[in-house]
Structure formats: C-alpha cells, structure tokens
Amino acid sequence: MLAGGQAHAEEPASPLTIGGAIRFNYVHKGWQAEKPRGFVGLDTVRLEVKYDDGTRIASAQYRYNRYPEGQGGYWQHFLHHGWVGLRFDDRSTVRVGLDKVPFGLLPFASNNFYESIAFYTGFEDKYDAGITYASAPGKLEWQLAFFPRDGGSYGGGDNTAPASNRYSYNIVRDDDEHGYGTGQRDSERNTLVARVAWHADTAIKQEFGASVLGGDIRNGAGQDTRRNAFAIHYRATPGPVTVMLQAMRYRYKTSHAPSQTYGGLDANSFVMVGGFGYPYPVATKGDIVIANVSYDIPGRIGPFGGFKVYNDYSALHKRTASYGPSKQNVTGLSFSAGKWFFYADLMMGKHHPYISPDFGGLASTAGQHDRWARRINLQAGYYF
C-alpha cells in the first residue's frame, strides 16, 4: 500500500512487443558422401515486431539465413511477413501487407521443422502481398483474401538465384547461372483465396475445411494464363493425439515456347518454383495428399517438457504420365526448455529437392534416384 492507503496501480502492458530467435542445425544427408559425419551450422537469425492494442494490430518479421558448406554455403535475407490490420468488435479482422495465404490446414499442415511437400510446391506456410479478411472466431470460420503480387525477392550471396531469395515458394523466373537455363520468366499475380472451416461440436475436437485458390501466371511475354487449386482438410484431437489429413489438386496452365525447357521435356509440363535461394521445376498438374499423426507426452524430464512425437507423410502425384511421384515421411520429436525449442527429425524421401539428390524431382524424376533417401535434422532454437 502507498501512503494514504491507495493501492499501487499496475502499469498497463505495452501493445508493442519485440522478439526474435536464433537457430542452429545438425544435418546428415545419406546421399552426401563428402560429408559422412554431417555438418553443424547456423540456420536462422530473425527479428520480430508485434503490435496489438485490441483494435489495431500489426506484425513483421525479418530473417537472415546463413548455411554451412554442406548445405550450399550461402547466405540470404528476406522479409518473412509484414502486415497491419484492424480487429472489429465481433473479433473479425482485416489485414493488409505481406501475409500468410489462408489455404488448407492452418497454421501448418505438418509438425516437423521442414514442413510437407505442400510447402515446397507453394501451398503451405506461404506469404504473399495483399489483403485478408477473417471472420470472427466460432463454430464456422472463413477467410477471404486477394494478393495482387507475391512476396517479392530480397538479397543473397553471389551463389544464389536473385529471384529465389525469398521465404515462400512462388513461381519465379528461371536463373541462367543458378537455375536450369530454361528462359522461363513466369510470376504469380492476382491470387484470390477463399477458405472455410467448421468446428464440430462433439466430444472430440474436430475441424472440417475446404479451400479454393485461383490466380494469374504472368509469363513475361504479354500472355497471362491461369492457375487454380482446391483442397479439403480434416483435423481431430482425441485427447493427446492429433490427426491431420489433407487432399488437394492444383493445375498451372502455362504458355511457354518449346525452347523454354531442359532435358527435352514438354516446356508446358512444368513451372519453375523458387525459394531459399534456388529455383527448381514443379509439375504443372498434380495431387498432394497429407496424413499426419502426433502424440503429446505429458510430464517433464528435468528442465525439458512439451514433448510431442509425430509422423508426417505427404506425397505429390503428378498428372503427367512420364513423371514419377515425390514422397516425404518425417518421424520426429519436438520439445522445449524455457526459451529453447528443439526438433529431432528422421526424414525419408524420394524425388524431393531437400530429401534426396534429385533436385528436379518435383517435376520429372531421375531414374538413378528412384530409391528412398535419408536426411537427419537436429535443431536447437532460442526464442526471445
């Protein structure tokens, strides 16, 4: 009590918060003979700013990545997201800026650090520039968004492809020096997305949802074509178990000249998709399935807690006769200790740019890489 008997009033919490993270990885690639013991290195340094006074809201995050020699030996930096918005009396929101595309399972269609095949094809954890309206929280929720442009390109080392220095995987122009030399100059424009999710009022927490996406592909030669995607998803949490399921189909209609190809492929059977410094080809028509299960383990071991074990499976089946499927399976464990967060993942894949030597496998597949490949990822991140 203060003099006069008046209680000391607590200072109101500031609506502005500043945070960040620094993360380190150990990686072992089963196909990388020159690094038989794997390698350790910095993964990410990031700075984040958030604002929320109940009505006005905003968030921005900038990242710097620097990878060791075994993972390309390069660096890059980019705006992960940056938006401002308003929260209305009914708790619905409108946000403008570089924001997450509301498509499929949210906030992620995966439990592991490297996410799912949907991420590498541009349909999970993706950020574009535009405006998003989200309904009030409730049994039935929906989002409607329009993104005139993608998330843009930022900076990186001389050994990166400039158009691919970004977080989100978008359709990008090919880079002759660090890409495939196809001469494709595509980009994404005018993306319209609608998503609805229904939360069932049952003993088991369940969510049923559907998403649709449509937009333009600008090919740099004055000819715009169309792209579209549709997804249905389901999430159930019976006690400590969580099941996530998603099925989607996408199609990119392109207008490439026959010369805009590599390896004799049909130039309109693939597009160049880029992120994290490099582009790679992705089939223009495909179906993606995701099936994940996780289990939250109660209790603590010393300072460690929040244990989750999981198995995340995803596959891309290309609707082009000569293109084989791409697959990914990640079995892992995540846990925390104070401000530290840890992942331990055993990753298996085939025809996958990050889990096999077949970097072009999300389109055509190389016969010599038809077996499953292995990647081990151990990560420690400090979040403040």
Side-chain angles (χ1 to χ4, degrees):
M1 303 290 288
L2 298 178
Q6 298 296 318
H8 176 69
E10 293 186 1
E11 291 291 332
S14 171
L16 178 67
T17 58
I18 299 175
I22 180 168
R23 303 190 303 219
F24 302 89
N25 275 5
Y26 164 78
V27 176
H28 180 272
K29 302 178 184 179
W31 65 92
Q32 197 173 49
E34 67 274 19
K35 297 286 184 180
R37 298 182 180 179
F39 52 89
V40 177
L42 176 69
D43 175 77
T44 302
V45 176
R46 77 187 200 194
L47 179 65
E48 187 167 23
V49 179
K50 294 182 179 180
Y51 183 89
D52 187 343
D53 65 7
T55 300
R56 293 168 294 183
I57 53 178
S59 180
Q61 184 186 111
Y62 210 88
R63 295 191 180 187
Y64 170 80
N65 294 339
R66 190 172 191 93
Y67 300 116
E69 181 183 350
Q71 203 165 343
Y74 70 97
W75 62 270
Q76 61 171 182
H77 60 87
F78 48 75
L79 181 65
H80 177 268
H81 70 269
W83 54 262
V84 296
L86 294 172
R87 182 184 293 114
F88 302 106
D89 290 342
D90 65 353
R91 297 176 64 198
S92 63
T93 60
V94 62
R95 308 195 319 196
V96 179
L98 184 59
D99 201 0
K100 178 171 283 192
V101 176
F103 187 87
L105 286 160
L106 292 178
F108 302 100
S110 52
N111 298 288
N112 71 90
F113 176 73
Y114 276 88
E115 307 193 42
S116 74
I117 275 183
F119 176 67
Y120 300 96
T121 50
F123 293 103
E124 179 187 1
D125 195 23
K126 180 176 181 177
Y127 294 81
D128 285 341
I131 182 169
T132 302
Y133 176 83
S135 71
K139 188 174 182 179
L140 182 68
E141 300 178 0
W142 56 274
Q143 296 92 24
L144 183 64
F146 177 66
F147 302 99
R149 300 182 63 87
D150 62 22
S153 301
Y154 298 86
D158 292 339
N159 57 341
T160 61
S164 297
N165 281 321
R166 58 181 69 209
Y167 176 80
S168 298
Y169 283 96
N170 295 98
I171 299 175
V172 297
R173 68 180 185 273
D174 196 2
D175 180 87
D176 292 340
E177 184 177 358
H178 301 295
Y180 284 72
T182 65
Q184 293 185 14
R185 294 292 182 265
D186 296 334
S187 61
E188 298 177 10
R189 292 291 187 274
N190 302 325
T191 303
L192 183 63
V193 187
R195 179 184 183 271
V196 62
W198 177 59
H199 302 275
D201 188 12
T202 62
I204 297 175
K205 186 178 180 181
Q206 298 182 85
E207 177 185 310
F208 301 83
S211 308
V212 292
L213 178 152
D216 297 332
I217 300 175
R218 186 165 297 173
N219 73 351
Q223 296 177 326
D224 289 355
T225 54
R226 296 289 297 171
R227 72 188 197 282
N228 57 72
F230 171 77
I232 55 174
H233 72 265
Y234 172 74
R235 187 199 315 266
T237 308
V241 176
T242 297
V243 175
M244 294 189 289
L245 304 173
Q246 182 169 302
M248 62 164 291
R249 170 167 286 190
Y250 73 89
R251 181 181 181 184
Y252 299 137
K253 186 176 181 181
T254 58
S255 181
H256 298 147
S259 60
Q260 292 180 306
T261 187
Y262 74 102
L265 300 173
D266 177 358
N268 289 303
S269 67
F270 68 92
V271 292
M272 300 304 298
V273 170
F276 289 86
Y278 298 97
Y280 49 77
V282 173
T284 50
K285 295 186 294 183
D287 300 322
I288 296 175
V289 295
I290 295 171
N292 307 329
V293 61
S294 65
Y295 182 83
D296 293 322
I297 303 174
R300 301 185 65 83
I301 302 176
F304 303 105
F307 293 97
K308 180 193 291 287
V309 292
Y310 47 82
N311 193 85
D312 294 347
Y313 173 82
S314 57
L316 166 61
H317 299 276
K318 302 133 195 175
R319 291 183 290 126
T320 300
S322 60
Y323 290 0
S326 297
K327 299 182 180 181
Q328 170 182 330
N329 193 84
V330 184
T331 302
L333 167 70
S334 63
F335 56 97
S336 62
K339 294 183 178 181
W340 287 91
F341 196 86
F342 304 89
Y343 286 98
D345 290 329
L346 171 61
M347 311 170 69
M348 304 292 293
K350 60 188 300 186
H351 306 308
H352 190 299
Y354 280 79
I355 318 178
S356 83
D358 189 0
F359 205 67
L362 292 182
S364 64
T365 55
Q368 68 269 32
H369 302 314
D370 201 42
R371 296 182 179 180
W372 286 79
R374 181 186 72 251
R375 179 177 182 141
I376 296 172
N377 183 69
L378 306 177
Q379 183 177 109
Y382 181 76
Y383 296 79
F384 56 91

